[in-house]
Amino acid sequence: MSAEARPEVTKASIRQRIWDYLENENLAEFPRPVHHRIPNFKGAALAGKEVAKLDAYKKARTVKVNPDKPQEEVRFLILEAYKTLLVPTPRLQKGLFNRIVPPPGANKEMLRKCASSQGVKNYSVPVGLDAKVKVDLIVIGSVAVSKEGYRLGKGEGYADLEYGMMSAIMKAVDEHTLIITTVHDCQIVDIPPNLMSEHDVPVDIIITPTQMVTCPKRAKPTGIIWSKLDANRLQEIPILRTLYEKERKAGKDVRLKEDFVMAEPFS
């Protein structure tokens, strides 16, 4: 009798395993359940405080942070330190990102409100694609990461698109821009390299409530890889559509996923 085939390891299966474990072991805070989210793990605020101890953070003047709950403490600390905080717009519907601008004389309570998801909406001004911005540091949420620097988000690809646009259009980041993620210790797992593509954004440092992991340096995306996208994606994200038209007029290769499928010869 042959042994049962081992289940295939995929990005989706790794995410599911992490989400299930966080829920089953009660390692998550609100909002729950954590499935299909960047999970708000227990100890997220402690991990955020550890970010603020890094020399790279202390030297940074402009920091981009995702809007999810587990990175809220990082956003608060950035505002408290009078650094410039950039946060992506939800699902990239109204541009690339916003700058969080607290009211004049804001106290700690108000800064915490500005760092929350509601505050990100109410106390922000849009940053245009043509703005001259240099992002010194990126703090990103994750569902799973490996000590090799491979990262999995929710599976929607927004973080990868954000990075590609910051690199291709704004020239706001380059290969030296440090990327940090904060996660629970259980979110550090083995991720097979063959699952990763050239558009996937790697991380340089992983911070948990108990440890810091410095990952091997990996190549970061230098733009949008159009062949990984389809026409529906362009319709969903206005700013992506704008970039597509700009690069198409510039004579760049902007063939989409379906263009390659249509070009395949019949067998």
Side-chain angles (χ1 to χ4, degrees):
M1 180 186 254
S2 61
E4 273 189 36
R6 297 180 65 180
E8 182 186 5
V9 176
T10 64
K11 287 182 176 181
S13 71
I14 294 172
R15 291 187 188 100
Q16 190 66 43
R17 178 159 53 90
I18 294 295
W19 284 325
D20 288 347
Y21 187 84
L22 285 164
E23 280 294 335
N24 295 338
E25 299 299 319
N26 196 30
L27 296 174
E29 305 280 10
F30 173 86
R32 295 178 70 175
V34 297
H35 297 82
H36 309 293
R37 305 180 192 272
I38 297 295
N40 186 24
F41 58 94
K42 288 184 175 180
L46 179 58
K49 289 180 173 66
E50 291 301 311
V51 172
K53 295 178 182 179
L54 297 177
D55 285 342
Y57 171 86
K58 293 174 183 177
K59 293 175 183 176
R61 290 188 288 183
T62 300
V63 187
K64 174 188 170 288
V65 186
N66 58 295
D68 300 280
K69 184 66 174 177
Q71 283 70 46
E72 188 173 297
E73 182 71 15
V74 179
R75 296 193 296 273
F76 164 71
L77 293 171
I78 291 167
L79 293 175
E80 188 180 44
Y82 299 102
K83 298 177 186 288
T84 298
L85 171 60
L86 301 178
V87 179
T89 63
R91 307 183 78 83
L92 300 179
Q93 287 302 297
K94 296 182 179 178
L96 185 50
F97 43 56
N98 292 337
R99 180 164 59 91
I100 310 306
V101 183
N107 58 19
K108 269 193 175 184
E109 184 181 355
M110 175 53 73
L111 292 179
R112 286 206 175 275
K113 184 180 290 187
C114 292
S116 70
S117 58
Q118 195 59 44
V120 164
K121 295 176 186 175
N122 296 338
Y123 300 97
S124 62
V125 295
V127 177
L129 281 178
D130 55 351
K132 301 297 182 186
V133 176
K134 181 182 182 298
V135 174
D136 302 306
L137 180 67
I138 294 173
V139 180
I140 192 170
S142 303
V143 174
V145 285
S146 76
K147 291 185 177 181
E148 295 301 308
Y150 301 126
R151 169 193 174 271
L152 300 181
K154 293 177 290 188
E156 297 177 338
Y158 288 108
D160 303 320
L161 288 173
E162 290 159 15
Y163 190 93
M165 284 188 272
M166 283 194 295
S167 175
I169 315 176
M170 302 184 74
K171 310 299 181 187
V173 295
D174 58 31
E175 69 273 16
H176 303 297
T177 307
L178 200 68
I179 302 178
I180 298 171
T181 191
T182 58
V183 295
H184 192 276
D185 290 270
C186 74
Q187 291 174 259
I188 303 177
V189 296
D190 290 332
I191 300 176
N194 65 290
L195 295 183
M196 309 310 292
S197 302
E198 56 185 327
H199 68 278
D200 290 314
V201 175
V203 299
D204 299 301
I205 295 176
I206 303 167
I207 293 183
T208 79
T210 67
Q211 64 178 314
M212 181 180 81
V213 178
T214 301
C215 305
K217 202 71 177 173
R218 298 202 169 278
K220 297 181 172 80
T222 57
I224 300 297
I225 303 173
W226 298 106
S227 60
K228 299 288 185 181
L229 304 175
D230 58 29
N232 288 335
R233 199 67 157 159
L234 295 189
Q235 293 304 314
E236 292 168 359
I237 305 175
I239 193 173
L240 192 61
R241 198 159 61 243
T242 299
L243 175 58
Y244 174 84
E245 290 300 330
K246 183 177 179 180
E247 295 208 341
R248 183 181 65 81
K249 289 176 182 176
K252 296 186 178 180
D253 185 354
V254 292
R255 286 176 294 171
L256 301 175
K257 186 186 296 184
E258 54 262 44
D259 295 327
F260 285 91
V261 173
M262 290 171 65
E264 288 180 0
F266 291 104
S267 56

